[in-house]
Amino acid sequence: MTEPAHLTAVRESYDTVAADYLRRVVPPEGMDPLSRAMLAAFAEFHRVLAPGGHLLLGGHTGDEEPRPSSAYGHPVTWASHLVPAGRLVALLAGAGFTVTTRLEQARPERPERGYVSLLAHA
């Protein structure tokens, strides 16, 4: 599929993409649906970045699927899909990124969860 010239020009102008964690396909066979969806999103980030552009990705990490029933004093119904930081790095590599900086922050009150900030380039 050929990309229209105006989209190519816009795509080539991006040198940075910032994302606050994607939870929400040309996937390798055998991957779970969440990994396939994340890989597809990361591949799209890679596609829209100019060569050498940067991606800043940050988010909560873990190996669970929290389903809170209330937040900020109100009832809620949603699920979050946390993944370990190493899995995020591997998915970014699979999408063509090179992670240059990885900062992990532990949460003493919730050792099963953390926060990671990743800086990668296309």
Side-chain angles (χ1 to χ4, degrees), residues 13-93:
S13 70
Y14 289 118
D15 60 6
T16 302
V17 171
D20 183 21
Y21 201 73
L22 286 178
R23 307 171 225 201
R24 343 250 159 219
V25 167
V26 193
E29 291 301 318
M31 287 182 92
D32 63 278
L34 179 61
S35 292
R36 286 197 306 268
M38 293 176 76
L39 180 60
F42 296 159
E44 182 66 7
F45 289 166
H46 192 273
R47 186 188 71 79
V48 301
L49 280 171
H54 292 87
L55 170 71
L56 176 60
L57 180 73
H60 296 279
T61 59
D63 199 14
E64 59 181 305
E65 294 183 16
R67 296 178 184 273
S69 57
S70 66
Y72 306 104
H74 301 283
V76 297
T77 313
W78 56 274
S80 178
H81 304 279
L82 302 177
V83 298
R87 183 168 160 200
L88 289 172
V89 171
L91 289 167
L92 287 169

Side-chain angles (χ1 to χ4, degrees), residues 87-112:
R87 183 168 160 200
L88 289 172
V89 171
L91 289 167
L92 287 169
F97 284 99
T98 301
V99 174
T100 56
T101 305
R102 176 176 170 169
L103 173 64
E104 292 187 63
Q105 298 170 295
R107 294 180 58 190
E109 74 283 3
R110 305 255 340 245
E112 72 280 4

